[in-house]
Amino acid sequence: MGKQKNTDSEQKSEKSRKVTAGPIREKARSITRLVAAVGGVIQKKGYTGLTGPNIAKEAGLDKKLIWTYFGSIDNLVETYILQRDFWNMADQKIISELLKNPENIGKKDITALLHGQLERMMKDKVLQRIIHWEIGEKNKTLRKVADEREKIGEHLFEIIEPDFTDTGVDIRAKLALQIAGIYYLVLHAKYNGS
């Protein structure tokens, strides 16, 4: 009987061990490392440094994994950018709440979104480089991300634009100038030290 108890307790300890490695967990970790490596390369070498070998070296992984998991460097970069883009990530919760309760959207909400974008741009050096890249170069991936951002903005405009009908205020133009101003001020400060 004494042996039986030991065997039972040994079986319980074997069953309770959590598997921390394996193909599925390793794949997820590798994907996470590759996506994060894109940011490291952008910070260190800029967008011109986004090559398979540079990303793989930053991630500490084989460059073949980029094509295995993402199909191309562009898909990997797109995944990274979508995670970093202000309108897709930083205020996604706020935007979702605004879209759920459109009747409650006011000046304070739009102002909060713009302030949030300014703060994020000021702090996030990788986002600064991405916006700089987007402004300065024609790229399919960046165009796709910009189109997604425009869709989110269009949803907000559908809600707030009727409030400006017959007021003589072109809210699209005003917000476009404010967002462009945020980009300009942050990038100018970053690259010219002003």
Side-chain angles (χ1 to χ4, degrees):
M1 245 188 186
K3 282 188 175 181
Q4 187 67 16
K5 286 184 181 178
N6 285 341
T7 307
D8 286 342
S9 66
E10 287 174 9
Q11 286 177 349
K12 284 182 185 177
S13 67
E14 286 179 27
K15 287 182 183 178
S16 65
R17 288 187 67 195
K18 186 175 179 181
V19 178
T20 58
I24 293 174
R25 289 183 186 262
E26 290 304 318
K27 178 180 179 180
R29 287 183 186 131
S30 294
I31 288 171
T32 301
R33 287 171 60 187
L34 287 167
V35 171
V38 171
V41 171
I42 290 173
Q43 277 188 313
K44 293 175 185 172
K45 299 182 181 205
Y47 44 85
T48 57
L50 288 173
T51 64
N54 287 345
I55 294 168
K57 183 178 179 183
E58 181 74 20
L61 297 168
D62 189 314
K63 67 182 177 183
K64 292 177 189 173
L65 292 177
I66 295 169
W67 287 271
T68 300
Y69 296 144
F70 296 96
S72 69
I73 292 175
D74 284 343
N75 291 341
L76 170 58
V77 171
E78 180 181 343
T79 300
Y80 177 78
I81 290 172
L82 286 172
Q83 289 180 2
R84 300 295 293 215
D85 190 62
F86 173 81
W87 291 100
N88 286 324
M89 293 302 296
D91 275 349
Q92 190 62 40
K93 290 178 185 174
I94 294 171
I95 292 169
S96 294
E97 287 301 314
L98 291 176
L99 294 175
K100 285 180 190 174
N101 303 307
E103 65 281 350
N104 297 332
I105 296 177
K107 282 183 190 178
K108 288 182 181 180
D109 298 311
I110 301 301
T111 301
L113 280 173
L114 293 171
H115 279 230
Q117 187 172 20
L118 176 62
E119 288 174 21
R120 174 101 189 267
M121 282 286 295
M122 291 294 287
K123 293 176 185 173
D124 192 336
K125 296 191 183 324
V126 175
L127 183 59
Q128 292 169 9
R129 286 193 179 240
I130 290 169
I131 296 297
H132 184 259
W133 182 18
E134 188 177 308
I135 291 169
E137 188 176 309
K138 188 174 183 175
N139 179 294
K140 281 191 312 184
T141 301
L142 295 172
R143 180 72 255 162
K144 188 175 179 179
V145 171
D147 289 344
E148 287 298 316
R149 191 182 310 126
E150 293 296 323
K151 286 179 189 176
I152 294 167
E154 190 58 38
H155 288 302
L156 287 172
F157 279 126
E158 287 171 4
I159 294 166
I160 64 171
E161 213 166 22
D163 293 339
F164 293 92
T165 305
D166 299 326
T167 63
V169 174
D170 186 347
I171 192 63
R172 286 179 184 258
K174 285 189 172 232
L175 289 175
L177 286 170
Q178 290 173 340
I179 292 168
I182 288 170
Y183 290 171
Y184 175 79
L185 291 172
V186 171
L187 295 176
H188 193 271
K190 161 76 174 147
Y191 293 101
N192 293 320
S194 62

